[in-house]
Amino acid sequence: MATKAKSAQWSFKGLDRTGKSVKGVLEASSEAQAIQQLKARGVMPDKLAQKGGGTGLQQEINIPGLERSPSLKDLAILTRQLATMVNAGVSILRALSIVTAQTDNAKLRRTLEEASAKVESGTALSAALEEFPRIIPPIMVHLIRAGETGGFLDRSLLMVADNFESENKLRSKVKAALTYPAVVLVIALVAVAAMLIFIVPVFDAMFTDLGSELPAVTQLLVDMSNAMPVAGPIILVVGVVSAIWWGRNKNTEAVRRVVDPLKLKVPVFGQLNTKIALTRFTRNFSTMLASGVPILQSLAIVGATSGNHVIASSLEGVQEGVRQGRPIAESLAEVDIFPEMLIQMVGIGEESGAIDTMLEKTADFYDDEVETMSSQLTAMLEPLMIVFMGGLLGFMIVALYLPMFTIFQSIQSM
């Protein structure tokens, strides 16, 4: 029985049909097969070498799980480049070859190489990308499929790029609002830990030598300091394990069913999370409808891409209402999560036949709301975090010096 040759990765550098220098990585079972694939892509190789074939320091080391997943920015650049080349008349296969060579992200590059091989064998681009759900978002697959079906693939790719760029901008706003409070909180925790480990024991030894009775707050700090050698490593291990568990399970159905409703109800940040989820829903829904994706299919996709389980589960009821022939606005009105303005805008869009335009305007409105609320939160949290950090450290300092005042008073009364 013949055994199938094991495929390997080959790095190449060469010239395409236009004389432009290209480079990249492909998978083949032999050097001859690699050359054959390059010729099929219209590439004349100058250099071709098997990756990972060296030894020692020359051997390529790939550690599974540590490679960076492609960001929205990576996907936006990819789709915009593809749209430009498709609009210029470049074939899909050749366009994929070019963008693959220019992609820096290793996971995305391997995905594009495998997708190129499938497209070369006759598979549609959307079907090829659909086999990589961990790398390619479903909204990108369905928009590309709509473009392939309707004959406007370049416009669909541009819509995908615009959508990803808007989503990336939204995430940047939220990160900017939360970075400062997070940094201050970490600094405060490190400062408290440092005082408990290095400073409190010095005072504890001094108080022990003096033989004075410690106030309750000072005794509390001393007990916490004595517990740090045991509690510190335990807290660190629990924190690391919790972070790893959260990273692996935060997107599971069971976790999202519990956590996502809390995100919308937490004080202050609940309103921000709600507006972020509504922004994603309206923008993705607008993009899907503008690309010609059917309403029911669009509702199913935007529910999965809204980023919140509450909206995703609510849209299941909306889908059922639309399936029964009811207007979208009427179905949305039965769900508490959707505000009146959104419902009215959708209703106007249905009446005028421009629901995608109305949804886009609504998305822009919520986008501005997120930006305004993020700025307000940052302005509010900055002084609050400074007061919190100063109060915490001040409390510890007063607690440490409080016994000294008692001692001085005892000496003066003698």
Side-chain angles (χ1 to χ4, degrees), residues 134-182:
R134 293 182 177 273
I135 304 298
I136 307 298
I139 187 172
M140 177 175 172
V141 173
H142 286 83
L143 287 176
I144 291 176
R145 178 171 293 135
E148 290 173 332
T149 305
F152 49 90
L153 179 58
D154 54 337
R155 285 196 290 115
S156 291
L157 288 167
L158 284 175
M159 288 181 180
V160 174
D162 292 339
N163 184 281
F164 287 159
E165 287 171 356
S166 298
E167 176 68 14
N168 186 54
K169 183 181 178 183
L170 177 66
R171 291 186 181 183
S172 298
K173 292 175 185 176
V174 177
K175 287 181 181 179
L178 300 180
T179 297
Y180 180 83

Side-chain angles (χ1 to χ4, degrees), residues 39-57:
K39 288 183 177 179
R41 298 184 187 182
V43 176
M44 183 62 67
D46 293 332
K47 295 181 180 179
L48 182 64
Q50 184 177 346
K51 300 188 69 175
T55 59
L57 295 176

Side-chain angles (χ1 to χ4, degrees), residues 9-12 23-27 41 51 60 62 67-70 74-75 78 96-117 129 132 135-136:
Q9 290 190 335
W10 299 79
S11 60
F12 67 88
K23 61 180 180 179
V25 180
L26 54 80
E27 287 193 4
R41 298 184 187 182
K51 300 188 69 175
E60 184 181 359
N62 293 319
E67 293 179 325
R68 181 179 66 87
S69 296
D74 295 329
L75 295 173
L78 163 68
L96 282 173
S97 175
I98 295 172
V99 297
T100 300
Q102 297 176 352
T103 300
D104 295 326
N105 185 274
K107 283 187 176 181
L108 184 57
R109 185 171 57 247
R110 285 199 299 271
T111 299
L112 292 174
E113 289 166 359
E114 295 181 31
S116 297
L129 294 176
F132 308 95
I135 304 298
I136 307 298

Side-chain angles (χ1 to χ4, degrees), residues 139-409:
I139 187 172
M140 177 175 172
V141 173
H142 286 83
L143 287 176
I144 291 176
R145 178 171 293 135
E148 290 173 332
T149 305
F152 49 90
L153 179 58
D154 54 337
R155 285 196 290 115
S156 291
L157 288 167
L158 284 175
M159 288 181 180
V160 174
D162 292 339
N163 184 281
F164 287 159
E165 287 171 356
S166 298
E167 176 68 14
N168 186 54
K169 183 181 178 183
L170 177 66
R171 291 186 181 183
S172 298
K173 292 175 185 176
V174 177
K175 287 181 181 179
L178 300 180
T179 297
Y180 180 83
V183 171
V184 173
L185 181 61
V186 170
I187 293 175
L189 294 176
V190 171
V192 170
M195 291 188 68
L196 291 175
I197 295 173
F198 300 108
I199 298 178
V200 174
V202 176
F203 280 84
D204 183 28
M206 181 178 64
F207 296 148
T208 302
D209 293 339
L210 293 175
S212 60
E213 184 178 352
L214 300 179
V217 290
T218 308
Q219 187 62 52
L220 176 63
L221 286 181
V222 172
D223 293 340
M224 291 174 63
S225 176
N226 293 333
M228 279 300 291
V230 177
I234 294 176
I235 293 173
L236 183 62
V237 171
V238 170
V240 172
V241 171
S242 299
I244 295 174
W245 181 90
W246 176 254
R248 292 180 177 179
N249 297 278
K250 64 181 179 180
N251 293 322
T252 60
E253 185 74 13
V255 173
R256 291 186 62 190
R257 191 181 296 112
V258 175
V259 175
D260 285 359
L262 297 177
K263 288 182 179 180
L264 304 182
K265 296 178 181 179
V266 67
V268 183
F269 290 97
Q271 292 185 9
L272 179 62
N273 290 327
T274 300
K275 292 184 184 298
I276 291 171
L278 290 174
T279 302
R280 287 173 176 159
F281 162 67
T282 50
R283 192 174 302 282
N284 291 342
F285 197 14
S286 171
T287 304
M288 298 293 287
L289 294 178
S291 297
V293 180
I295 290 179
L296 287 174
Q297 189 176 359
S298 298
L299 285 170
I301 296 168
V302 297
T305 58
S306 63
N308 192 280
H309 182 268
V310 177
I311 289 183
S313 58
S314 299
L315 287 176
E316 293 178 1
V318 176
Q319 290 179 63
E320 185 60 30
V322 174
R323 191 177 288 111
Q324 295 174 2
R326 298 162 58 191
I328 303 176
E330 183 181 331
S331 301
L332 290 174
E334 297 179 356
V335 184
D336 294 335
I337 189 66
F338 299 111
E340 184 64 25
M341 191 202 80
L342 170 60
I343 296 170
Q344 293 296 330
M345 292 291 281
V346 172
I348 295 171
E350 287 183 295
E351 293 173 2
S352 61
I355 186 173
D356 56 330
T357 303
M358 289 300 177
L359 285 168
E360 184 179 0
K361 292 182 182 298
T362 307
D364 292 338
F365 169 78
Y366 285 124
D367 199 9
D368 293 337
E369 286 282 293
V370 169
E371 185 172 3
T372 301
M373 186 171 289
S374 299
S375 301
Q376 292 174 347
L377 282 175
T378 303
M380 179 182 68
L381 288 174
E382 284 184 8
L384 288 178
M385 293 303 295
I386 291 174
V387 170
F388 167 76
M389 186 172 179
L392 183 62
L393 296 178
F395 167 78
M396 295 185 68
I397 293 173
V398 170
L400 289 175
Y401 280 94
L402 191 60
M404 302 182 72
F405 297 140
T406 306
I407 295 171
F408 290 151
Q409 289 178 355

Side-chain angles (χ1 to χ4, degrees), residues 57-72:
L57 295 176
Q58 294 180 338
Q59 186 173 7
E60 184 181 359
I61 301 176
N62 293 319
I63 304 178
L66 294 184
E67 293 179 325
R68 181 179 66 87
S69 296
S71 64
L72 287 174

